[in-house]
C-alpha cells in the first residue's frame, strides 16, 4: 500500500515571473514554517501552480494552511498526491 501525501495549492499563474515573485514573498511570510517546501509546478507553457508540500501528515499541512489563511491567502486548495 502506497501512502498518500498532500500539497497546498496556493495560486495558479499564467507566467513564471508572477509565480516566482509570490514564492519570494511567501519565503518572507513563512520564515517560521516549512517554507522550504514551496515549489512551482509547470503544467504547460502558460500555466504554473505555486504549491507547498508534499506533506506526509495532516498536522504539518494544517499548520501551514493556518499560517497562510492568517496571512490573508484565500481560496487555498488541498491536493491529494497519489
Amino acid at each position: 500500500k502506497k501512502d498518500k501525501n498532500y500539497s497546498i495549492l496556493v495560486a495558479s499563474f499564467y507566467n513564471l515571473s508572477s509565480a516566482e515573485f509570490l514564492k519570494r514573498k511567501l519565503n518572507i511570510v513563512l520564515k517560521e514554517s516549512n517554507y522550504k517546501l514551496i515549489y512551482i509546478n509547470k503544467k504547460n507553457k502558460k500555466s504554473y501552480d505555486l504549491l507547498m508540500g508534499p506533506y506526509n501528515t495532516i498536522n504539518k499541512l494544517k499548520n501551514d494552511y493556518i499560517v497562510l489563511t492568517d496571512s490573508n491567502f484565500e481560496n487555498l486548495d488541498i491536493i491529494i498526491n497519489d
Side-chain angles (χ1 to χ4, degrees), residues 2-72:
K2 184 178 175 186
D3 290 334
K4 293 182 182 178
N5 58 39
Y6 309 90
S7 297
I8 301 173
L9 174 61
V10 179
S12 295
F13 297 94
Y14 292 111
N15 63 53
L16 182 60
S17 62
S18 295
E20 289 172 340
F21 176 78
L22 184 56
K23 181 180 176 183
R24 286 190 300 275
K25 290 292 185 183
L26 278 175
N27 284 333
I28 296 167
V29 170
L30 300 170
K31 59 186 162 193
E32 298 298 321
S33 187
N34 290 318
Y35 66 92
K36 295 175 184 154
L37 301 174
I38 301 170
Y39 65 98
I40 298 169
N41 182 31
K42 181 178 180 180
K43 293 169 63 176
N44 58 48
K45 68 181 187 176
K46 289 192 175 185
S47 181
Y48 302 89
D49 287 340
L50 183 63
L51 298 152
M52 290 184 64
Y55 298 94
N56 294 324
T57 66
I58 295 294
N59 283 336
K60 288 181 183 179
L61 179 137
K62 181 184 81 168
N63 292 341
D64 283 351
Y65 190 92
I66 289 169
V67 171
L68 287 170
T69 56
D70 289 347
S71 300
N72 296 321

